Amino acid sequence: MLELVSRDSELPGRDIDPALTPEELLERVATGDRQAFAALYDLTAPRVLGLIKRLLKDHSQSEEVTQEVFLEIWQTASRFDHAKGGAASWMLTMAHRRAVDRVRASQSSRDRDTKVGIRDFETDYDSVTEQVEIRIEHERVERALTRLTELQRQAVTLAYYGGFSHSEVSTMLHVPIGTVKTRLRDGMIRLRDELGVAS
């Protein structure tokens, strides 16, 4: 659990003026002043934790991310440029970024777990229903085939059920390949219409 570090705690370094601004404290932190860091922490930790907690909701994760933020502040205080904005904005931006990163990492982990769970989940399989559906569909196709001309039915049956190429069907039926293609095209259009399949 996060606890406020008292400014009066005995840390080596200079005494800290309680009137120092966060910007001034950050400048001192950049030089390695531990008392300035403790004072900065006391001054800003509740706000940083509050922002992170609003994003993460989970208190223990929020505390963990807050500790990471303050470690980053300690390590990168020299990069703070007060010309680009205030210390609080700099720190809260850092806190927001880390909290968003944690949310994304958590979401990514959940997505990964979900994908693995879905992959490993065996769905119920109703083979009887599938067989009935296949049989009904087969009967529909058989009925539709009877509505084709004899020439169309021969070409479709050889090409699609027999698995023969257009040239093989041409040889078997003793007709030019163009005629085979025409019969197949016309037969398939008729089948599609008979089965009510949208083009």
Side-chain angles (χ1 to χ4, degrees), residues 133-162:
E133 287 174 356
I134 290 171
R135 184 174 205 75
I136 290 171
E137 192 61 31
H138 180 72
E139 289 171 1
R140 283 186 67 217
V141 172
E142 287 293 324
R143 277 194 306 273
L145 278 170
T146 63
R147 295 196 175 98
L148 300 180
T149 67
E150 181 61 30
L151 297 174
Q152 290 172 341
R153 188 170 38 258
Q154 282 179 332
V156 169
T157 302
L158 288 171
Y160 293 100
Y161 285 105

PDB file of all heavy atoms in Angstrom, residues 133-162:
ATOM      1  N   GLU A 133     -29.646 -32.610 -43.052  1.00  0.00           N
ATOM      2  CA  GLU A 133     -29.520 -31.427 -43.903  1.00  0.00           C
ATOM      3  C   GLU A 133     -28.859 -31.777 -45.227  1.00  0.00           C
ATOM      4  O   GLU A 133     -29.283 -31.300 -46.294  1.00  0.00           O
ATOM      5  CB  GLU A 133     -28.727 -30.334 -43.179  1.00  0.00           C
ATOM      6  CG  GLU A 133     -29.499 -29.666 -42.060  1.00  0.00           C
ATOM      7  CD  GLU A 133     -28.656 -28.691 -41.245  1.00  0.00           C
ATOM      8  OE1 GLU A 133     -27.428 -28.581 -41.515  1.00  0.00           O
ATOM      9  OE2 GLU A 133     -29.215 -28.052 -40.358  1.00  0.00           O
ATOM     10  N   ILE A 134     -27.820 -32.606 -45.195  1.00  0.00           N
ATOM     11  CA  ILE A 134     -27.119 -33.010 -46.418  1.00  0.00           C
ATOM     12  C   ILE A 134     -28.066 -33.804 -47.314  1.00  0.00           C
ATOM     13  O   ILE A 134     -28.116 -33.598 -48.526  1.00  0.00           O
ATOM     14  CB  ILE A 134     -25.848 -33.829 -46.081  1.00  0.00           C
ATOM     15  CG1 ILE A 134     -24.790 -32.914 -45.459  1.00  0.00           C
ATOM     16  CG2 ILE A 134     -25.301 -34.528 -47.316  1.00  0.00           C
ATOM     17  CD1 ILE A 134     -23.596 -33.651 -44.886  1.00  0.00           C
ATOM     18  N   ARG A 135     -28.829 -34.707 -46.706  1.00  0.00           N
ATOM     19  CA  ARG A 135     -29.766 -35.541 -47.486  1.00  0.00           C
ATOM     20  C   ARG A 135     -30.839 -34.672 -48.149  1.00  0.00           C
ATOM     21  O   ARG A 135     -31.162 -34.851 -49.328  1.00  0.00           O
ATOM     22  CB  ARG A 135     -30.407 -36.582 -46.582  1.00  0.00           C
ATOM     23  CG  ARG A 135     -31.322 -37.538 -47.321  1.00  0.00           C
ATOM     24  CD  ARG A 135     -31.817 -38.633 -46.389  1.00  0.00           C
ATOM     25  NE  ARG A 135     -32.171 -39.822 -47.082  1.00  0.00           N
ATOM     26  CZ  ARG A 135     -31.329 -40.715 -47.601  1.00  0.00           C
ATOM     27  NH1 ARG A 135     -30.044 -40.512 -47.526  1.00  0.00           N
ATOM     28  NH2 ARG A 135     -31.761 -41.790 -48.213  1.00  0.00           N
ATOM     29  N   ILE A 136     -31.378 -33.706 -47.404  1.00  0.00           N
ATOM     30  CA  ILE A 136     -32.406 -32.814 -47.959  1.00  0.00           C
ATOM     31  C   ILE A 136     -31.825 -31.995 -49.105  1.00  0.00           C
ATOM     32  O   ILE A 136     -32.450 -31.851 -50.162  1.00  0.00           O
ATOM     33  CB  ILE A 136     -32.992 -31.895 -46.854  1.00  0.00           C
ATOM     34  CG1 ILE A 136     -33.832 -32.733 -45.885  1.00  0.00           C
ATOM     35  CG2 ILE A 136     -33.815 -30.761 -47.450  1.00  0.00           C
ATOM     36  CD1 ILE A 136     -34.273 -31.989 -44.637  1.00  0.00           C
ATOM     37  N   GLU A 137     -30.613 -31.455 -48.903  1.00  0.00           N
ATOM     38  CA  GLU A 137     -29.965 -30.657 -49.953  1.00  0.00           C
ATOM     39  C   GLU A 137     -29.689 -31.523 -51.183  1.00  0.00           C
ATOM     40  O   GLU A 137     -29.872 -31.089 -52.324  1.00  0.00           O
ATOM     41  CB  GLU A 137     -28.665 -30.041 -49.411  1.00  0.00           C
ATOM     42  CG  GLU A 137     -28.071 -28.976 -50.286  1.00  0.00           C
ATOM     43  CD  GLU A 137     -29.002 -27.778 -50.487  1.00  0.00           C
ATOM     44  OE1 GLU A 137     -29.802 -27.452 -49.591  1.00  0.00           O
ATOM     45  OE2 GLU A 137     -28.913 -27.179 -51.571  1.00  0.00           O
ATOM     46  N   HIS A 138     -29.242 -32.757 -50.960  1.00  0.00           N
ATOM     47  CA  HIS A 138     -28.964 -33.675 -52.070  1.00  0.00           C
ATOM     48  C   HIS A 138     -30.245 -33.945 -52.869  1.00  0.00           C
ATOM     49  O   HIS A 138     -30.232 -33.952 -54.106  1.00  0.00           O
ATOM     50  CB  HIS A 138     -28.390 -34.991 -51.516  1.00  0.00           C
ATOM     51  CG  HIS A 138     -28.068 -35.994 -52.560  1.00  0.00           C
ATOM     52  ND1 HIS A 138     -27.000 -35.854 -53.411  1.00  0.00           N
ATOM     53  CD2 HIS A 138     -28.696 -37.153 -52.910  1.00  0.00           C
ATOM     54  CE1 HIS A 138     -26.968 -36.889 -54.239  1.00  0.00           C
ATOM     55  NE2 HIS A 138     -27.993 -37.704 -53.949  1.00  0.00           N
ATOM     56  N   GLU A 139     -31.361 -34.142 -52.179  1.00  0.00           N
ATOM     57  CA  GLU A 139     -32.646 -34.384 -52.850  1.00  0.00           C
ATOM     58  C   GLU A 139     -33.080 -33.166 -53.653  1.00  0.00           C
ATOM     59  O   GLU A 139     -33.610 -33.295 -54.768  1.00  0.00           O
ATOM     60  CB  GLU A 139     -33.714 -34.764 -51.827  1.00  0.00           C
ATOM     61  CG  GLU A 139     -33.513 -36.155 -51.246  1.00  0.00           C
ATOM     62  CD  GLU A 139     -34.445 -36.454 -50.067  1.00  0.00           C
ATOM     63  OE1 GLU A 139     -35.271 -35.589 -49.710  1.00  0.00           O
ATOM     64  OE2 GLU A 139     -34.319 -37.562 -49.505  1.00  0.00           O
ATOM     65  N   ARG A 140     -32.835 -31.961 -53.121  1.00  0.00           N
ATOM     66  CA  ARG A 140     -33.169 -30.719 -53.858  1.00  0.00           C
ATOM     67  C   ARG A 140     -32.371 -30.630 -55.149  1.00  0.00           C
ATOM     68  O   ARG A 140     -32.910 -30.274 -56.200  1.00  0.00           O
ATOM     69  CB  ARG A 140     -32.867 -29.485 -52.989  1.00  0.00           C
ATOM     70  CG  ARG A 140     -33.880 -29.209 -51.923  1.00  0.00           C
ATOM     71  CD  ARG A 140     -33.585 -27.897 -51.199  1.00  0.00           C
ATOM     72  NE  ARG A 140     -33.761 -26.786 -52.107  1.00  0.00           N
ATOM     73  CZ  ARG A 140     -33.002 -25.687 -52.114  1.00  0.00           C
ATOM     74  NH1 ARG A 140     -32.010 -25.552 -51.263  1.00  0.00           N
ATOM     75  NH2 ARG A 140     -33.227 -24.716 -52.970  1.00  0.00           N
ATOM     76  N   VAL A 141     -31.083 -30.965 -55.064  1.00  0.00           N
ATOM     77  CA  VAL A 141     -30.221 -30.909 -56.251  1.00  0.00           C
ATOM     78  C   VAL A 141     -30.669 -31.961 -57.270  1.00  0.00           C
ATOM     79  O   VAL A 141     -30.734 -31.686 -58.480  1.00  0.00           O
ATOM     80  CB  VAL A 141     -28.728 -31.100 -55.866  1.00  0.00           C
ATOM     81  CG1 VAL A 141     -27.862 -31.247 -57.101  1.00  0.00           C
ATOM     82  CG2 VAL A 141     -28.253 -29.919 -55.027  1.00  0.00           C
ATOM     83  N   GLU A 142     -30.994 -33.165 -56.792  1.00  0.00           N
ATOM     84  CA  GLU A 142     -31.457 -34.232 -57.692  1.00  0.00           C
ATOM     85  C   GLU A 142     -32.727 -33.794 -58.436  1.00  0.00           C
ATOM     86  O   GLU A 142     -32.859 -34.009 -59.643  1.00  0.00           O
ATOM     87  CB  GLU A 142     -31.738 -35.520 -56.904  1.00  0.00           C
ATOM     88  CG  GLU A 142     -30.505 -36.246 -56.436  1.00  0.00           C
ATOM     89  CD  GLU A 142     -29.689 -36.835 -57.576  1.00  0.00           C
ATOM     90  OE1 GLU A 142     -30.273 -37.305 -58.575  1.00  0.00           O
ATOM     91  OE2 GLU A 142     -28.447 -36.807 -57.468  1.00  0.00           O
ATOM     92  N   ARG A 143     -33.665 -33.172 -57.717  1.00  0.00           N
ATOM     93  CA  ARG A 143     -34.898 -32.691 -58.358  1.00  0.00           C
ATOM     94  C   ARG A 143     -34.591 -31.606 -59.384  1.00  0.00           C
ATOM     95  O   ARG A 143     -35.161 -31.577 -60.474  1.00  0.00           O
ATOM     96  CB  ARG A 143     -35.874 -32.152 -57.307  1.00  0.00           C
ATOM     97  CG  ARG A 143     -36.707 -33.225 -56.641  1.00  0.00           C
ATOM     98  CD  ARG A 143     -37.893 -32.639 -55.877  1.00  0.00           C
ATOM     99  NE  ARG A 143     -37.528 -31.616 -54.913  1.00  0.00           N
ATOM    100  CZ  ARG A 143     -37.157 -31.854 -53.654  1.00  0.00           C
ATOM    101  NH1 ARG A 143     -37.112 -33.092 -53.206  1.00  0.00           N
ATOM    102  NH2 ARG A 143     -36.845 -30.869 -52.851  1.00  0.00           N
ATOM    103  N   ALA A 144     -33.678 -30.703 -59.018  1.00  0.00           N
ATOM    104  CA  ALA A 144     -33.311 -29.622 -59.936  1.00  0.00           C
ATOM    105  C   ALA A 144     -32.636 -30.175 -61.183  1.00  0.00           C
ATOM    106  O   ALA A 144     -32.859 -29.678 -62.296  1.00  0.00           O
ATOM    107  CB  ALA A 144     -32.402 -28.620 -59.229  1.00  0.00           C
ATOM    108  N   LEU A 145     -31.824 -31.222 -61.033  1.00  0.00           N
ATOM    109  CA  LEU A 145     -31.154 -31.825 -62.187  1.00  0.00           C
ATOM    110  C   LEU A 145     -32.160 -32.410 -63.178  1.00  0.00           C
ATOM    111  O   LEU A 145     -31.930 -32.398 -64.390  1.00  0.00           O
ATOM    112  CB  LEU A 145     -30.182 -32.923 -61.735  1.00  0.00           C
ATOM    113  CG  LEU A 145     -28.804 -32.465 -61.254  1.00  0.00           C
ATOM    114  CD1 LEU A 145     -28.045 -33.616 -60.612  1.00  0.00           C
ATOM    115  CD2 LEU A 145     -27.991 -31.858 -62.383  1.00  0.00           C
ATOM    116  N   THR A 146     -33.281 -32.906 -62.679  1.00  0.00           N
ATOM    117  CA  THR A 146     -34.292 -33.487 -63.586  1.00  0.00           C
ATOM    118  C   THR A 146     -34.941 -32.418 -64.448  1.00  0.00           C
ATOM    119  O   THR A 146     -35.559 -32.736 -65.472  1.00  0.00           O
ATOM    120  CB  THR A 146     -35.393 -34.234 -62.804  1.00  0.00           C
ATOM    121  OG1 THR A 146     -36.093 -33.319 -61.971  1.00  0.00           O
ATOM    122  CG2 THR A 146     -34.803 -35.364 -61.981  1.00  0.00           C
ATOM    123  N   ARG A 147     -34.821 -31.169 -64.078  1.00  0.00           N
ATOM    124  CA  ARG A 147     -35.426 -30.072 -64.842  1.00  0.00           C
ATOM    125  C   ARG A 147     -34.497 -29.548 -65.936  1.00  0.00           C
ATOM    126  O   ARG A 147     -34.865 -28.663 -66.681  1.00  0.00           O
ATOM    127  CB  ARG A 147     -35.825 -28.956 -63.889  1.00  0.00           C
ATOM    128  CG  ARG A 147     -36.931 -29.435 -62.935  1.00  0.00           C
ATOM    129  CD  ARG A 147     -37.621 -28.284 -62.248  1.00  0.00           C
ATOM    130  NE  ARG A 147     -38.725 -28.771 -61.458  1.00  0.00           N
ATOM    131  CZ  ARG A 147     -38.655 -28.992 -60.146  1.00  0.00           C
ATOM    132  NH1 ARG A 147     -37.548 -28.773 -59.500  1.00  0.00           N
ATOM    133  NH2 ARG A 147     -39.709 -29.425 -59.498  1.00  0.00           N
ATOM    134  N   LEU A 148     -33.263 -30.085 -66.001  1.00  0.00           N
ATOM    135  CA  LEU A 148     -32.331 -29.701 -67.060  1.00  0.00           C
ATOM    136  C   LEU A 148     -32.636 -30.533 -68.300  1.00  0.00           C
ATOM    137  O   LEU A 148     -33.229 -31.620 -68.219  1.00  0.00           O
ATOM    138  CB  LEU A 148     -30.881 -29.965 -66.630  1.00  0.00           C
ATOM    139  CG  LEU A 148     -30.359 -29.248 -65.393  1.00  0.00           C
ATOM    140  CD1 LEU A 148     -28.899 -29.639 -65.149  1.00  0.00           C
ATOM    141  CD2 LEU A 148     -30.482 -27.750 -65.521  1.00  0.00           C
ATOM    142  N   THR A 149     -32.163 -30.050 -69.445  1.00  0.00           N
ATOM    143  CA  THR A 149     -32.276 -30.874 -70.648  1.00  0.00           C
ATOM    144  C   THR A 149     -31.319 -32.050 -70.482  1.00  0.00           C
ATOM    145  O   THR A 149     -30.380 -32.004 -69.680  1.00  0.00           O
ATOM    146  CB  THR A 149     -31.889 -30.081 -71.908  1.00  0.00           C
ATOM    147  OG1 THR A 149     -30.497 -29.778 -71.850  1.00  0.00           O
ATOM    148  CG2 THR A 149     -32.706 -28.804 -72.053  1.00  0.00           C
ATOM    149  N   GLU A 150     -31.529 -33.103 -71.261  1.00  0.00           N
ATOM    150  CA  GLU A 150     -30.674 -34.282 -71.177  1.00  0.00           C
ATOM    151  C   GLU A 150     -29.217 -33.920 -71.467  1.00  0.00           C
ATOM    152  O   GLU A 150     -28.301 -34.381 -70.787  1.00  0.00           O
ATOM    153  CB  GLU A 150     -31.159 -35.357 -72.157  1.00  0.00           C
ATOM    154  CG  GLU A 150     -30.355 -36.642 -72.137  1.00  0.00           C
ATOM    155  CD  GLU A 150     -30.362 -37.346 -70.779  1.00  0.00           C
ATOM    156  OE1 GLU A 150     -31.353 -37.229 -70.026  1.00  0.00           O
ATOM    157  OE2 GLU A 150     -29.355 -38.000 -70.451  1.00  0.00           O
ATOM    158  N   LEU A 151     -28.983 -33.047 -72.457  1.00  0.00           N
ATOM    159  CA  LEU A 151     -27.626 -32.653 -72.835  1.00  0.00           C
ATOM    160  C   LEU A 151     -26.956 -31.856 -71.700  1.00  0.00           C
ATOM    161  O   LEU A 151     -25.787 -32.051 -71.389  1.00  0.00           O
ATOM    162  CB  LEU A 151     -27.646 -31.842 -74.138  1.00  0.00           C
ATOM    163  CG  LEU A 151     -28.155 -32.595 -75.374  1.00  0.00           C
ATOM    164  CD1 LEU A 151     -28.269 -31.657 -76.555  1.00  0.00           C
ATOM    165  CD2 LEU A 151     -27.247 -33.774 -75.707  1.00  0.00           C
ATOM    166  N   GLN A 152     -27.703 -30.944 -71.090  1.00  0.00           N
ATOM    167  CA  GLN A 152     -27.173 -30.159 -69.961  1.00  0.00           C
ATOM    168  C   GLN A 152     -26.857 -31.072 -68.776  1.00  0.00           C
ATOM    169  O   GLN A 152     -25.815 -30.961 -68.144  1.00  0.00           O
ATOM    170  CB  GLN A 152     -28.178 -29.080 -69.525  1.00  0.00           C
ATOM    171  CG  GLN A 152     -28.351 -27.954 -70.509  1.00  0.00           C
ATOM    172  CD  GLN A 152     -29.498 -27.031 -70.123  1.00  0.00           C
ATOM    173  OE1 GLN A 152     -30.380 -27.396 -69.331  1.00  0.00           O
ATOM    174  NE2 GLN A 152     -29.507 -25.834 -70.717  1.00  0.00           N
ATOM    175  N   ARG A 153     -27.792 -32.001 -68.497  1.00  0.00           N
ATOM    176  CA  ARG A 153     -27.621 -32.907 -67.359  1.00  0.00           C
ATOM    177  C   ARG A 153     -26.361 -33.781 -67.539  1.00  0.00           C
ATOM    178  O   ARG A 153     -25.591 -33.989 -66.618  1.00  0.00           O
ATOM    179  CB  ARG A 153     -28.865 -33.776 -67.175  1.00  0.00           C
ATOM    180  CG  ARG A 153     -28.823 -34.604 -65.900  1.00  0.00           C
ATOM    181  CD  ARG A 153     -30.128 -35.296 -65.540  1.00  0.00           C
ATOM    182  NE  ARG A 153     -30.900 -35.834 -66.640  1.00  0.00           N
ATOM    183  CZ  ARG A 153     -31.992 -35.259 -67.171  1.00  0.00           C
ATOM    184  NH1 ARG A 153     -32.440 -34.130 -66.673  1.00  0.00           N
ATOM    185  NH2 ARG A 153     -32.640 -35.817 -68.169  1.00  0.00           N
ATOM    186  N   GLN A 154     -26.131 -34.280 -68.764  1.00  0.00           N
ATOM    187  CA  GLN A 154     -24.940 -35.092 -69.037  1.00  0.00           C
ATOM    188  C   GLN A 154     -23.676 -34.289 -68.751  1.00  0.00           C
ATOM    189  O   GLN A 154     -22.763 -34.768 -68.074  1.00  0.00           O
ATOM    190  CB  GLN A 154     -24.915 -35.535 -70.510  1.00  0.00           C
ATOM    191  CG  GLN A 154     -25.813 -36.677 -70.847  1.00  0.00           C
ATOM    192  CD  GLN A 154     -25.726 -37.003 -72.340  1.00  0.00           C
ATOM    193  OE1 GLN A 154     -25.442 -36.126 -73.154  1.00  0.00           O
ATOM    194  NE2 GLN A 154     -25.968 -38.264 -72.667  1.00  0.00           N
ATOM    195  N   ALA A 155     -23.606 -33.079 -69.286  1.00  0.00           N
ATOM    196  CA  ALA A 155     -22.405 -32.247 -69.130  1.00  0.00           C
ATOM    197  C   ALA A 155     -22.168 -31.910 -67.657  1.00  0.00           C
ATOM    198  O   ALA A 155     -21.049 -32.028 -67.149  1.00  0.00           O
ATOM    199  CB  ALA A 155     -22.539 -30.972 -69.959  1.00  0.00           C
ATOM    200  N   VAL A 156     -23.213 -31.506 -66.938  1.00  0.00           N
ATOM    201  CA  VAL A 156     -23.082 -31.136 -65.524  1.00  0.00           C
ATOM    202  C   VAL A 156     -22.680 -32.344 -64.688  1.00  0.00           C
ATOM    203  O   VAL A 156     -21.791 -32.269 -63.833  1.00  0.00           O
ATOM    204  CB  VAL A 156     -24.403 -30.507 -65.006  1.00  0.00           C
ATOM    205  CG1 VAL A 156     -24.382 -30.380 -63.488  1.00  0.00           C
ATOM    206  CG2 VAL A 156     -24.637 -29.152 -65.650  1.00  0.00           C
ATOM    207  N   THR A 157     -23.313 -33.483 -64.955  1.00  0.00           N
ATOM    208  CA  THR A 157     -23.023 -34.684 -64.170  1.00  0.00           C
ATOM    209  C   THR A 157     -21.572 -35.126 -64.369  1.00  0.00           C
ATOM    210  O   THR A 157     -20.881 -35.453 -63.393  1.00  0.00           O
ATOM    211  CB  THR A 157     -23.989 -35.825 -64.566  1.00  0.00           C
ATOM    212  OG1 THR A 157     -25.327 -35.390 -64.352  1.00  0.00           O
ATOM    213  CG2 THR A 157     -23.736 -37.065 -63.739  1.00  0.00           C
ATOM    214  N   LEU A 158     -21.107 -35.128 -65.612  1.00  0.00           N
ATOM    215  CA  LEU A 158     -19.727 -35.549 -65.873  1.00  0.00           C
ATOM    216  C   LEU A 158     -18.716 -34.564 -65.275  1.00  0.00           C
ATOM    217  O   LEU A 158     -17.720 -34.969 -64.669  1.00  0.00           O
ATOM    218  CB  LEU A 158     -19.493 -35.693 -67.379  1.00  0.00           C
ATOM    219  CG  LEU A 158     -20.175 -36.889 -68.039  1.00  0.00           C
ATOM    220  CD1 LEU A 158     -20.063 -36.799 -69.565  1.00  0.00           C
ATOM    221  CD2 LEU A 158     -19.561 -38.192 -67.543  1.00  0.00           C
ATOM    222  N   ALA A 159     -18.976 -33.260 -65.448  1.00  0.00           N
ATOM    223  CA  ALA A 159     -17.998 -32.253 -64.987  1.00  0.00           C
ATOM    224  C   ALA A 159     -18.004 -32.096 -63.473  1.00  0.00           C
ATOM    225  O   ALA A 159     -16.942 -32.064 -62.850  1.00  0.00           O
ATOM    226  CB  ALA A 159     -18.288 -30.908 -65.656  1.00  0.00           C
ATOM    227  N   TYR A 160     -19.188 -32.004 -62.857  1.00  0.00           N
ATOM    228  CA  TYR A 160     -19.243 -31.686 -61.435  1.00  0.00           C
ATOM    229  C   TYR A 160     -19.335 -32.899 -60.529  1.00  0.00           C
ATOM    230  O   TYR A 160     -18.805 -32.894 -59.429  1.00  0.00           O
ATOM    231  CB  TYR A 160     -20.380 -30.696 -61.156  1.00  0.00           C
ATOM    232  CG  TYR A 160     -20.089 -29.351 -61.780  1.00  0.00           C
ATOM    233  CD1 TYR A 160     -20.666 -28.990 -62.982  1.00  0.00           C
ATOM    234  CD2 TYR A 160     -19.176 -28.475 -61.195  1.00  0.00           C
ATOM    235  CE1 TYR A 160     -20.370 -27.768 -63.579  1.00  0.00           C
ATOM    236  CE2 TYR A 160     -18.878 -27.264 -61.787  1.00  0.00           C
ATOM    237  CZ  TYR A 160     -19.466 -26.917 -62.979  1.00  0.00           C
ATOM    238  OH  TYR A 160     -19.166 -25.720 -63.552  1.00  0.00           O
ATOM    239  N   TYR A 161     -20.005 -33.921 -60.970  1.00  0.00           N
ATOM    240  CA  TYR A 161     -20.065 -35.131 -60.150  1.00  0.00           C
ATOM    241  C   TYR A 161     -18.941 -36.097 -60.515  1.00  0.00           C
ATOM    242  O   TYR A 161     -18.388 -36.769 -59.651  1.00  0.00           O
ATOM    243  CB  TYR A 161     -21.428 -35.831 -60.295  1.00  0.00           C
ATOM    244  CG  TYR A 161     -22.535 -35.133 -59.549  1.00  0.00           C
ATOM    245  CD1 TYR A 161     -23.479 -34.384 -60.230  1.00  0.00           C
ATOM    246  CD2 TYR A 161     -22.631 -35.233 -58.177  1.00  0.00           C
ATOM    247  CE1 TYR A 161     -24.498 -33.740 -59.546  1.00  0.00           C
ATOM    248  CE2 TYR A 161     -23.646 -34.594 -57.486  1.00  0.00           C
ATOM    249  CZ  TYR A 161     -24.567 -33.847 -58.179  1.00  0.00           C
ATOM    250  OH  TYR A 161     -25.582 -33.211 -57.501  1.00  0.00           O
ATOM    251  N   GLY A 162     -18.630 -36.161 -61.807  1.00  0.00           N
ATOM    252  CA  GLY A 162     -17.573 -37.079 -62.254  1.00  0.00           C
ATOM    253  C   GLY A 162     -16.184 -36.502 -62.093  1.00  0.00           C
ATOM    254  O   GLY A 162     -15.199 -37.235 -62.060  1.00  0.00           O
TER     255      GLY A 162
END
